[in-house]
Amino acid sequence: MAWIFTIGVFAAFYWMARRTREQAAEHAATGMLHSPLYWSAATITMTLLGVVLYMAHLGHQGPIPWFYYPFVGIMAVVVLLLRRALKWRYPV
């Protein structure tokens, strides 16, 4: 039974990689991959992911300091605004 699940997971990974490659080709054709908006959105998204994972790590050791919560909220709003700006600037 586990091999069916494994095959399904790898098929999903293959499908996602193929779709991502197609989207990257579309973004490159429109010039979106060179946009500062694109790079700032990607950077802030990865920073947000890192902070959230660090908060999860801190949660195992004790209480999470209060200043992380507003920081994560502000970063999430900024990411959403940058995504909206990208969609407005580069409609698909």
Side-chain angles (χ1 to χ4, degrees):
M1 186 66 164
W3 62 273
I4 294 174
F5 180 72
T6 305
I7 291 173
V9 167
F10 281 111
F13 286 157
Y14 175 76
W15 179 76
M16 285 188 291
R18 196 167 155 216
R19 181 150 161 79
T20 303
R21 212 173 291 126
E22 291 171 359
Q23 287 178 345
E26 289 175 7
H27 290 166
T30 61
M32 183 176 168
L33 291 178
H34 302 290
S35 169
L37 281 176
Y38 175 81
W39 288 110
S40 26
T43 303
I44 293 174
T45 302
M46 290 298 112
T47 305
L48 177 63
L49 179 65
V51 169
V52 169
L53 289 174
Y54 182 65
M55 286 175 63
H57 173 71
L58 285 178
H60 291 293
Q61 297 177 353
I64 300 170
W66 65 270
F67 55 85
Y68 282 110
Y69 293 108
F71 182 68
V72 167
I74 290 169
M75 285 179 55
V77 169
V78 168
V79 167
L80 292 174
L81 290 174
L82 281 172
R83 283 180 48 90
R84 179 56 52 196
L86 280 167
K87 285 184 180 272
W88 174 73
R89 176 70 175 97
Y90 303 101
V92 177

